[in-house]
């Protein structure tokens, strides 16, 4: 490949990091929005996360098999087509105001995202000088963080109306008036998701027409892994910790807007902007945390951050007003280094089992489908503020994993989510 073609390829693959980061971080906007438009409980609205994150568990292995047979470029193109198709399905889902249809559309989108994530990390490392592969990966992942910041900002502006009726106000409406209000709310997702689908289709066309190097899988002549992967106790513990961590991460963001309204009376648009700031704190925290690891051992920093999050969540549960909201913003900051640190500690020292161990840890992302539902159920029984005890319990598991790895002095962070 020429330098010009290589630069174009790097730009296109980097755009994938942005696209999947943007799509996933629209969920905290869709949860309060569809809760209102489809008249859902907190438990039901949490299924939005379940529809997205269950795809990572169900589609990851088929995605790998697809790319093994047809190549990574075909996998990326197919993933983008799924992404675009799911985005376009939001239009009829909104017309029907059918929550099950929305969930199906989200599952299709997330299936496409799974294929993009499966391909993008290895692809970005082979585009250019091998010596700068880590820098390219970190550069691409920074766009994932940028998307996380922009998604709630744009979603708050173009999807959320800022109008939330109380139960009494809804009961005072006629049936036609209420349906008109709910249909108007539902329809606000149509244009944004059509535009997202068109952008994704454009990227798919550019990817397909661009010359990209084909990634060759490692030959199976290497030494076969010996012994059962289930005998790797630290890997299993790390997989469990990652399961709980991703669950906590999704819980914190997904119900942030509902929480801000409950404890401080903040309207949904303003809360969306605050969430955007919280996710910016997450991105900044990753850079700061990576720098601090030069001086503090990763497991120790992971333990410190876990304790900080537990304390902040207790504050968020027990206090009211803006102080509680700022406590959640602080949690976003201290979550920043957790996924890559848990991942790196989990697969450390696995040798020939590293590949299967990595797959196991990545599959634990399904925690994002599990814990928000529990949190939604707790919220329906008590309150959304009380429900934030669920991620606090999750961070206890992360703390235990960090303590168990306390003797480790250094790891290389090579992946994030």
């Amino acid at each position: 490949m020429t330098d010009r073609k290589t630069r174009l390829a790097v730009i296109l693959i980097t755009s994938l990091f942005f696209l999947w980061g943007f799509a996933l971080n629209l969920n905290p906007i869709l949860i309060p929005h569809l809760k209102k438009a489809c008249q859902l409980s907190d438990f039901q609205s949490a299924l939005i996360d379940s529809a997205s994150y269950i795809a990572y568990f169900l589609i990851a292995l088929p995605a790998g098999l697809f790319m093994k047979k047809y190549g990574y470029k075909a996998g990326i193109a197919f993933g983008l087509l799924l992404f675009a198709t799911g985005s376009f399905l939001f239009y009829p889902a909104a017309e029907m105001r059918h929550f099950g249809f929305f969930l199906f559309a989200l599952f299709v989108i997330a299936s496409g995202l799974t294929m993009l994530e499966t391909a993008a990390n290895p692809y970005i490392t082979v585009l250019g000088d091998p010596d700068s592969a880590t820098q390219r990966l970190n550069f691409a992942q920074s766009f994932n963080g940028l998307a996380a910041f922009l998604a709630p900002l744009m979603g708050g502006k173009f999807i959320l109306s800022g109008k939330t009726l109380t139960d009494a106000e809804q009961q005072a409406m006629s049936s036609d008036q209420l349906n008109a209000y709910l249909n108007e709310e539902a329809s606000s997702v149509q244009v944004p998701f059509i535009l997202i689908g068109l952008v994704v289709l454009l990227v798919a066309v550019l990817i397909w027409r661009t010359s990209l190097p084909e990634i060759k899988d490692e030959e199976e002549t290497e030494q076969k892994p010996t012994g059962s992967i289930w005998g790797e106790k630290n890997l299993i513990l790390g997989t469990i910790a990652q399961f709980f961590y991703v669950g906590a991460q999704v819980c914190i963001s997904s119900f942030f807007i509902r929480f801000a309204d409950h404890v401080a009376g903040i309207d949904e648009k303003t809360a969306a902007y605050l969430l955007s700031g919280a996710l910016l704190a997450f991105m900044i925290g990753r850079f700061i945390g990576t720098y601090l690891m030069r001086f503090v051992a990763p497991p120790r920093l992971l333990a410190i951050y876990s304790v900080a999050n537990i304390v902040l969540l207790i504050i968020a549960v027990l206090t009211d007003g803006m102080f509680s909201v700022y406590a959640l913003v602080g949690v976003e900051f201290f979550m920043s280094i957790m996924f890559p640190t848990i991942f790196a500690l989990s697969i450390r020292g696995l040798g020939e089992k590293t590949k299967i161990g990595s797959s196991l840890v990545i599959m634990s992302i399904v925690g994002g489908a599990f814990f928000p539902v529990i949190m939604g159920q707790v919220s329906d029984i008590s309150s959304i503020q009380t429900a934030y005890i669920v991620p606090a319990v999750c961070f206890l598991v992360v703390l235990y994993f960090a303590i168990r790895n306390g003797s480790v002095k250094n790891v290389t962070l090579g992946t994030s989510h």
Side-chain angles (χ1 to χ4, degrees), residues 15-27 30 52 56 75-90 104-117 147 192-204:
S15 74
L16 304 182
F17 285 79
F18 181 90
L19 289 173
W20 85 63
F22 192 88
L24 281 178
N25 285 284
L26 279 177
N27 280 5
L30 293 175
S52 294
Y56 280 87
I76 290 173
F78 185 54
L80 288 167
L81 288 177
L82 285 174
F83 187 172
T85 300
S87 299
F88 293 142
L89 287 175
F90 263 67
F104 175 70
L106 284 165
F107 180 81
V108 174
I109 289 174
S111 297
L113 303 186
T114 303
M115 299 196 74
L116 298 187
E117 288 208 46
F193 274 87
I194 288 294
L195 292 175
I196 289 171
L198 291 174
V199 169
V200 171
L201 274 184
L202 175 60
V203 175

Side-chain angles (χ1 to χ4, degrees), residues 181-197:
Y181 163 73
L182 296 176
N183 288 334
E184 182 182 0
E185 288 291 332
S187 66
S188 69
V189 302
Q190 291 178 316
V191 172
F193 274 87
I194 288 294
L195 292 175
I196 289 171

Side-chain angles (χ1 to χ4, degrees), residues 42-43 46-47 50 243-244 251 255 367-382 387-391 394:
D42 280 331
F43 172 81
L47 295 175
S50 297
F243 176 79
F244 276 83
C251 284
F255 291 101
F370 184 73
F371 287 102
V373 174
I374 296 177
M375 190 171 173
Q377 186 66 55
V378 173
S379 177
D380 289 334
I381 295 171
S382 53
Y388 268 87
I389 202 69
V390 173
C394 292

Side-chain angles (χ1 to χ4, degrees), residues 3 12 33 35 102 113 118 135 137 157 182 203 229 270 297 327 352 367 386 395 408:
D3 287 344
L12 289 173
H33 181 71
K35 173 182 168 62
F102 278 116
L113 303 186
T118 301
Q135 291 93 321
L137 180 59
K157 182 174 179 61
L182 296 176
V203 175
I229 194 69
T270 303
E352 69 269 14
T386 304
F395 286 123
V408 180

Side-chain angles (χ1 to χ4, degrees), residues 147-177:
F149 163 68
L150 290 176
L153 197 66
M154 302 298 288
K157 182 174 179 61
F158 295 108
I159 294 177
L160 298 180
S161 68
K163 297 184 295 184
T164 303
L165 302 182
T166 64
D167 291 338
E169 288 173 326
Q170 291 189 37
Q171 290 170 5
M173 287 179 161
S174 68
S175 177
D176 288 343
Q177 287 174 325

